[in-house]
Amino acid sequence: MGRLAHTDGLTDIQRDILATVRDFVEKEILPVATDLEHRDEYPAQIVEGMRKLGLFGLTIPEQYGGLGESLLTYALVVEQIARGWMSVSGIVNTHFIVAYMIAQHGTPEQRDYFLPRMAAGEVRGAFSMSEPGLGSDVAAISTSAVRDGEDYVINGQKMWLTNGGTAHLVALLARTDEGHAAPHRNLTTFLIEKEPGFGPNASVPGLTVPGKIAKMGYKGVDTTELILHDVRVPAARVLGCAPGRGFYQMMDGVEVGRVNVAARGCGVALRAFELGIAYAQQRHAFGKPIIEHQAIAFKLAEMGTKVEAAHQMMIMAARTKDSGQRNDLEAGMAKYLASEYAKQVVEDSFRIHGGYGFSQEFEIERLYREVPMLLIGEGTAEIQKMIIGRRLLDEYRITT
């Protein structure tokens, strides 16, 4: 452990959890990550190891079999996992968002039914908001859910589901006619149980997961579409039994998800810095290690500063949420800064590696393809700037 990315004020339990996760990353993730990523292979053994460590229940309350830890603890764990392989952190993240939404907004029956199995890792979650052509305009969702007796009948197509194939539970946002003039007041979150796998789903007639989407990076984890044709979902599986509240529920989930993406950016940046500073001490040019050349030393100084700044911003956003305060400003800032800095640190480490950075034999090549996902996940940089700008105006508006 170097000096960067330390967190003051942690409890003994938090420190023990992080030490366990760091050891797991060093022994179980880093040695195999690049090989699995190049094969685009789902990390089943790693996932099973995380399940045994209790990471799928890290933030789920103890009364439901979880560890009941804070968002800060979770973010620091994600930072370590992403340092090993960002795709693995994605497997945990969507599960975490769904569990958080159920814990915060679900009915007592929904919490009792889902959370114990989610804490054990027996049921893993996927989060489904986006659609083809939708982008960040959530209020323009077209997937529809029409009430029919005790059920809703859902039709539409969803996009970019992380864990879409391997998940047992999908939290899905669809449009219901609740009679409100504002489009976002007509959105509802549904909890859809399904069997893991691709193709038509055996347990949910009309639901199809076509297959994995081929991606530039973020491999290993399955990213999918979801097609729904007359899928019937009981009204009891509306999150919180509260039709029309889906937009607010999903945005609450996205808010904590942005802290998660910030943590992923911190982990990727930290790993890129570690690779860059190690290579700079081993590679010689013009008669000395390249780290002794001022151009490289300056680059590493900038990289280290960005790693530290992003980490501190991320823990501030997590602590703000844990304190019960609104944190959309802090989460937006943390997500924006950490993802942009991660891209810059990875690119600088890539440059330090020179031609070898282009080789698949070197880990930095994998990071270079993985990091762009952070720029768009949980809202693009432009969306974060819109959120930040609006919140700053709220805080500093001139009144007469």
Side-chain angles (χ1 to χ4, degrees), residues 335-378:
K335 192 275 175 184
Y336 169 60
L337 189 78
S339 58
E340 293 292 331
Y341 275 2
K343 175 182 177 294
Q344 294 168 20
V345 172
V346 167
E347 183 167 305
D348 281 343
S349 184
F350 176 84
R351 291 173 185 269
I352 288 171
H353 281 76
Y356 288 106
F358 210 62
S359 168
Q360 289 190 345
E361 295 181 15
F362 283 72
E363 189 178 338
I364 192 63
E365 179 269 344
R366 169 170 62 84
L367 270 60
Y368 195 81
R369 288 184 293 100
E370 288 180 336
V371 76
M373 198 285 294
L374 297 172
L375 302 175
I376 55 176
E378 313 295 6

Side-chain angles (χ1 to χ4, degrees), residues 10 13-14 17-18 58-59 69-78 318 322:
L10 298 181
I13 292 175
Q14 288 173 315
I17 290 172
L18 290 176
L58 187 63
T59 61
E69 277 295 325
S70 63
L71 177 59
L72 174 62
T73 306
Y74 178 76
L76 294 174
V77 165
V78 166
D322 284 334

Side-chain angles (χ1 to χ4, degrees), residues 17 20-21 47-60 65-69 74 77 92 95 118-121:
I17 290 172
T20 299
V21 173
V47 171
E48 177 60 18
M50 292 194 299
R51 189 190 68 79
K52 290 179 178 178
L53 289 177
L55 297 187
F56 287 102
L58 187 63
T59 61
I60 293 174
L67 298 178
E69 277 295 325
Y74 178 76
V77 165
V92 181
H95 175 88
M118 295 183 79

Side-chain angles (χ1 to χ4, degrees), residues 19 24 33 45 69 84 88 103 120 134 139 165 182 185 203 236 278 300 344 365:
F24 180 78
Q45 189 170 338
E69 277 295 325
V88 176
L134 183 67
R185 296 288 298 276
S203 63
L300 286 163
Q344 294 168 20
E365 179 269 344

Side-chain angles (χ1 to χ4, degrees), residues 314-335:
M314 179 268 291
I315 63 173
M316 179 190 70
R319 280 179 163 151
T320 301
K321 186 72 171 180
D322 284 334
S323 71
Q325 301 178 66
R326 179 179 178 179
N327 87 327
D328 54 342
L329 174 63
E330 291 80 5
M333 286 181 167
K335 192 275 175 184

Side-chain angles (χ1 to χ4, degrees), residues 112-305:
D112 289 340
Y113 180 75
F114 287 113
L115 291 181
R117 292 183 297 149
M118 295 183 79
E122 297 168 1
V123 168
R124 295 198 290 275
F127 178 79
S128 179
M129 188 165 60
S130 187
E131 296 180 359
L134 183 67
S136 297
D137 187 6
V138 178
I141 278 176
S142 61
T143 295
S144 66
V146 178
R147 186 71 183 255
D148 181 23
E150 295 301 311
D151 297 337
Y152 281 86
V153 180
I154 305 179
N155 286 278
Q157 182 179 4
K158 308 300 281 187
M159 193 71 174
W160 306 119
L161 280 77
T162 300
N163 292 336
T166 50
H168 307 76
L169 173 66
V170 179
L172 180 141
L173 191 63
R175 181 165 302 285
T176 48
D177 184 9
E178 301 305 320
H180 294 286
H184 67 279
R185 296 288 298 276
N186 293 302
L187 298 174
T188 298
T189 304
F190 293 89
L191 302 174
I192 303 177
E193 296 180 83
K194 71 176 189 65
E195 292 294 324
F198 298 100
N201 199 269
S203 63
V204 185
L207 186 145
T208 301
V209 181
K212 292 171 63 173
I213 297 171
K215 310 184 296 288
M216 173 178 70
Y218 200 39
K219 296 178 181 290
V221 59
D222 50 288
T223 305
T224 73
E225 298 175 72
L226 190 66
I227 298 172
L228 303 101
H229 179 68
D230 291 340
V231 172
R232 302 188 74 89
V233 178
R237 286 294 172 259
V238 169
L239 180 61
C241 288
R245 295 291 298 173
F247 180 83
Y248 302 100
Q249 295 163 347
M250 285 275 177
M251 289 303 102
D252 191 24
V254 167
E255 198 170 279
V256 295
R258 283 177 179 147
V259 175
N260 170 281
V261 174
R264 286 200 249 180
C266 291
V268 171
L270 178 59
R271 184 57 180 168
F273 172 82
E274 292 171 345
L275 294 172
I277 200 167
Y279 185 81
Q281 295 172 74
Q282 299 162 5
R283 176 81 163 92
H284 286 67
F286 304 102
K288 57 184 177 182
I290 62 173
I291 199 169
E292 295 181 15
H293 293 282
Q294 190 178 67
I296 302 300
F298 279 10
K299 195 177 292 293
L300 286 163
E302 293 171 359
M303 293 162 64
T305 301

